[in-house]
Amino acid sequence: MKIGIVCYPTYGGSGVMATELGMALAKKGHEIHFITSHQPVKLDFLSANLLFHEVFVEEYPLFHYQPYELALSSKLVEVVEKYQLDILHVHYAIPHAYAAYMAKQMLLQKGIEIPIVTTLHGTDITLVGSHPFYKTAVEFSINNSDIVTAVSENLRTDTLRLFDIYNKIDVIYNFIDFNYQKNWDDDDCIRLTLAKPEEKIITHVSNFRPVKRVNDVISVFNKVQENIKAKLIMVGDGPDREKAEQYARKLGIKDKILFLGKSDEVRKILCFSDLFILPSETESFGLAALEAMAARNAIITTNTGGLPEVNLQGRTGFLSDVGNIDEMAKNTIHILEDESRLNKFKDAAFKYALKFSIKNILPKYEAIYKLVKKK
Ligand code: GMT
């Protein structure tokens, strides 16, 4: 099939998912066209099966905001027509589902019918999408997509609660492509650049936005390091990074924390890590936690949103109420203080992550593509 994929080409989970999905589909022989503002960060090669079409937005002094949706929908019309695409699959409703709907209408006038698959990822529904500024347009785009998928049961429930939806929503979980999951464990030099052999490694990866509650990571670690020899690796960047660094300095534990910024080496870092912390205010799925599990990390998360669908209480790790620092610290110490217990959690986390292997998820997307093509 010839599939156009629209996503945010940045480090966010939705962009990573969309890119890895496109690459896996291309490997299976589908012709994949990425239509995005920049080449997606994870898209490391282009081939006859994998093409990239850049959406340009011209700057013009009259515009306070650049009309990206307009440029995107025009580009979608051009690419669908030129390459005779079968389907457009848009990731993250804002503004992609809306732009795809406009493209579909423009193409209909030319006698071309293109089905739209929209995948909802989280904040396009919860934090941003349901805001009164966007709600009407998001609701309209969801109801007018040919197929809608959500990345967790919880996100489906939230969508139905927050919007007036008469379209069906299928749940297709996020996935891990284990083909990219190497084992760097043997390379001790890398571990030694992060921590001493006797120290446990705790990791957090995010975009450092307020919803991630990065200061809770520091607070939990502060209590843990009083009991266990450990290092904290903070990967990513965003508005709350400076605040988190200041907080660590204030607590006098800055020397035990490495702030690495954005990294292309997340999988490698996670490979040396023992435990991952994700204390988010809300999380539709928590792809970062799943990636940590795939690298054999025990996980400590909040019990919000779709996280209980990824983290199993007492098996892959523990879940606590948002902001319950004492409990998260107590559970982290409980896991880390006993080597055989830690290994049990790590093994269970890895085993559960296999359920989300791309091998199981890819056929579900292929099935909906087939269905929507026939409609
Ligand atoms: O707005 C964000 O937090 C970014 C967004 C993204 O594009 O990565 O994250 C959402 O989508 C991810 C991929 O499906 C999920 O794993 C994240 O849980 C979700 N973020 C939130 O719900 C806060």
Side-chain angles (χ1 to χ4, degrees):
M1 264 185 258
K2 294 183 180 183
I3 304 158
I5 293 186
V6 179
C7 65
Y8 283 107
T10 49
Y11 281 90
S14 61
V16 169
M17 273 298 95
T19 310
E20 292 194 356
L21 174 65
M23 292 196 295
L25 288 164
K27 269 194 206 151
K28 284 195 80 179
H30 298 285
E31 188 179 299
I32 303 301
H33 295 255
F34 282 95
I35 306 147
T36 53
S37 59
H38 300 94
Q39 182 163 326
V41 281
K42 292 267 178 167
L43 189 63
D44 44 11
F45 70 97
L46 294 168
S47 70
N49 264 0
L50 209 50
L51 293 100
F52 161 59
H53 310 276
E54 189 165 346
V55 182
F56 292 103
V57 187
E58 282 291 316
E59 298 236 343
Y60 187 67
L62 193 66
F63 299 148
H64 185 53
Y65 302 108
Q66 305 307 319
Y68 179 70
E69 294 91 307
L70 225 58
L72 175 60
S73 49
S74 297
K75 193 75 182 175
L76 292 176
V77 170
E78 179 196 316
V79 176
V80 169
E81 219 180 347
K82 188 167 169 196
Y83 293 89
Q84 301 178 341
L85 300 194
D86 297 309
I87 289 162
L88 280 178
H89 186 173
V90 301
H91 292 260
Y92 207 88
I94 306 172
H96 301 150
Y98 191 72
Y101 173 80
M102 290 313 295
K104 184 177 170 127
Q105 298 312 310
M106 289 186 259
L107 284 158
L108 271 178
Q109 295 224 323
K110 294 168 178 257
I112 301 169
E113 214 172 310
I114 184 88
I116 311 288
V117 177
T118 296
T119 292
L120 309 173
H121 278 274
T123 45
D124 48 350
I125 295 302
T126 52
L127 292 185
V128 191
S130 57
H131 191 282
F133 290 168
Y134 308 112
K135 194 176 170 197
T136 309
V138 173
E139 189 171 274
F140 175 85
S141 330
I142 295 172
N143 280 328
N144 286 284
S145 296
D146 294 274
I147 288 204
V148 184
T149 74
V151 298
S152 67
E153 284 292 348
N154 176 266
L155 183 59
R156 171 167 53 188
T157 308
D158 273 351
T159 310
L160 297 175
R161 180 174 54 83
L162 294 166
F163 298 89
D164 193 1
I165 299 296
Y166 51 78
N167 213 348
K168 185 170 161 262
I169 303 178
D170 292 314
V171 173
I172 302 186
Y173 282 120
N174 283 329
F175 59 81
I176 291 286
D177 190 338
F178 282 87
N179 292 316
Y180 300 116
Q181 200 69 43
K182 281 191 259 159
N183 193 358
W184 287 275
D185 268 349
D186 299 337
D187 201 345
D188 278 338
C189 334
I190 302 177
R191 194 196 187 280
L192 280 176
T193 60
L194 300 176
K196 295 187 189 122
E198 68 277 14
E199 285 172 329
K200 294 282 182 271
I201 299 182
I202 299 173
T203 307
H204 170 79
V205 182
S206 77
N207 53 18
F208 285 56
R209 295 199 174 275
V211 68
K212 304 293 174 182
R213 297 181 66 101
V214 280
N215 273 9
D216 284 6
V217 181
I218 311 284
S219 297
V220 170
F221 177 72
N222 185 37
K223 290 182 184 289
V224 172
Q225 58 85 37
E226 285 167 3
N227 297 271
I228 303 253
K229 289 196 175 96
K231 274 270 162 64
L232 173 65
I233 318 285
M234 300 285 281
V235 186
D237 209 341
D240 284 353
R241 174 169 167 183
E242 190 46 47
K243 218 168 68 186
E245 293 204 40
Q246 267 175 27
Y247 184 45
R249 230 172 276 129
K250 190 176 140 209
L251 293 173
I253 54 171
K254 183 76 193 339
D255 58 324
K256 294 184 179 177
I257 306 178
L258 288 166
F259 284 88
L260 295 185
K262 282 183 187 155
S263 171
D264 286 332
E265 309 249 87
V266 173
R267 284 196 167 95
K268 203 184 258 183
I269 295 160
L270 287 172
C271 196
F272 300 107
S273 170
D274 296 292
L275 182 141
F276 185 85
I277 304 186
L278 193 63
S280 307
E281 181 86 38
T282 175
E283 203 69 69
S284 70
F285 181 88
L287 182 63
L290 179 63
E291 285 178 335
M293 289 160 71
R296 286 189 84 250
N297 279 231
I299 56 170
I300 294 289
T301 68
T302 41
N303 52 19
T304 174
L307 285 170
E309 294 169 63
V310 179
N311 186 8
L312 305 180
Q313 182 75 299
R315 279 177 56 201
T316 57
F318 288 100
L319 304 99
S320 299
D321 290 342
V322 174
N324 193 340
I325 308 295
D326 286 345
E327 189 178 279
M328 287 188 253
K330 196 178 105 230
N331 288 333
T332 305
I333 294 165
H334 173 73
I335 294 175
L336 292 180
E337 70 189 353
D338 180 322
E339 198 63 33
S340 79
R341 186 183 298 142
L342 170 62
N343 279 322
K344 249 168 89 181
F345 274 94
K346 284 179 163 190
D347 288 345
F350 177 75
K351 215 169 140 205
Y352 196 58
L354 291 173
K355 177 188 152 188
F356 300 92
S357 165
I358 192 164
K359 273 199 309 204
N360 303 331
I361 306 296
L362 196 67
K364 294 184 198 281
Y365 278 116
E366 285 183 297
I368 59 162
Y369 295 155
K370 264 193 207 146
L371 187 78
V372 83
K373 223 188 130 190
K374 269 197 221 135
K375 257 187 179 179

